[in-house]
Amino acid sequence: MNTPAHLIFGAAAFGRPEMRWTLGAALAGGLLPDLSLYLMVGWHLLVVGTPAQVVFDELYFSDSWQTIFAIDNSLILWGALLGVALWRSLPVLLAFAGAGLLHIALDLPLHAGDGRPHLWPLSDWVFDSPFSYWDSLYGAGWIGPLELAVSAFLVVVLWRRVRDWSWRVLFAVLLLAEAGTNNIWRLVF
């Protein structure tokens, strides 16, 4: 899924406006599994000047990048974090870990040929899904609009939950970002 959708889904599932900090924690948990990708891609494209084709065709699949992706997309590590949150009754950590796990669970069936080793450190196995959120050869033509529609619905739900306009504006911006990234993939691929 596109990262803005992950943030929206995580906030809707685990953010509780009546429980201080859980919305922010859910947003952070929804972002963290993708953050290393943004940082590494941004560094190479914007600072080093590495061509995009090298970044996405070579570096993305390199052992060093895949090791980082294995760590920040590990169901084992995120599950342990969720276990601690439940054991210690920590609602902010629960929102963070729950959103991170939701991110990974939603990514698992939507990465055809570019999945991540979600069972690290127990295994380097990568599920090669028959579906992709971005590649039209693997269903992105219907997955993308569905993802956008569910994101829009969840933003309406979030707007009804929160009264603070700063949160509402943030969710609207995330929805606009989701619409933009959704359409970018269709134009590029």
Side-chain angles (χ1 to χ4, degrees):
M1 283 177 41
N2 291 304
T3 304
H6 283 301
L7 274 68
I8 292 167
F9 280 56
F14 295 99
R16 299 287 171 257
E18 71 279 2
M19 299 181 83
R20 189 179 173 129
W21 304 106
T22 59
L23 268 173
L27 290 170
L31 174 63
L32 194 60
D34 281 347
L35 185 59
S36 65
L37 174 65
Y38 282 106
L39 294 175
M40 293 186 301
V41 167
W43 174 261
H44 275 276
L45 293 178
L46 303 174
V47 178
V48 178
T50 307
Q53 186 173 3
V54 172
V55 170
F56 293 108
D57 290 345
E58 296 174 29
L59 292 175
Y60 181 92
F61 295 101
S62 70
D63 288 342
S64 58
W65 281 37
Q66 287 300 310
T67 298
I68 293 167
F69 298 153
I71 295 167
D72 60 19
N73 282 266
S74 172
L75 287 168
I76 310 302
L77 296 179
W78 283 99
L81 201 57
L82 183 69
V84 169
L86 291 169
W87 173 53
R88 302 293 298 168
S89 298
L90 301 170
V92 174
L93 187 58
L94 176 66
F96 176 76
L101 275 171
L102 181 62
H103 178 134
I104 295 166
L106 292 169
D107 264 358
L108 185 67
L110 297 174
H111 277 269
D114 64 345
R116 299 193 173 165
H118 294 300
L119 299 176
W120 186 90
L122 302 178
S123 172
D124 288 334
W125 174 77
V126 175
F127 175 64
D128 189 16
S129 176
F131 304 107
S132 173
Y133 73 96
W134 64 270
D135 190 338
S136 59
L137 296 175
Y138 299 95
W142 62 268
I143 293 169
L146 178 62
E147 178 182 317
L148 181 58
V150 174
S151 295
F153 171 77
L154 291 176
V155 165
V156 170
V157 169
L158 286 163
W159 268 52
R160 295 186 75 189
R161 281 190 202 159
V162 297
R163 299 290 175 231
D164 186 323
W165 275 97
S166 60
W167 283 112
R168 288 180 170 187
V169 167
L170 176 62
F171 295 132
V173 167
L174 286 173
L175 184 60
L176 287 173
E178 170 60 23
T181 53
N182 201 295
N183 288 319
I184 284 172
W185 294 130
R186 285 202 263 180
L187 293 174
V188 172
F189 299 104

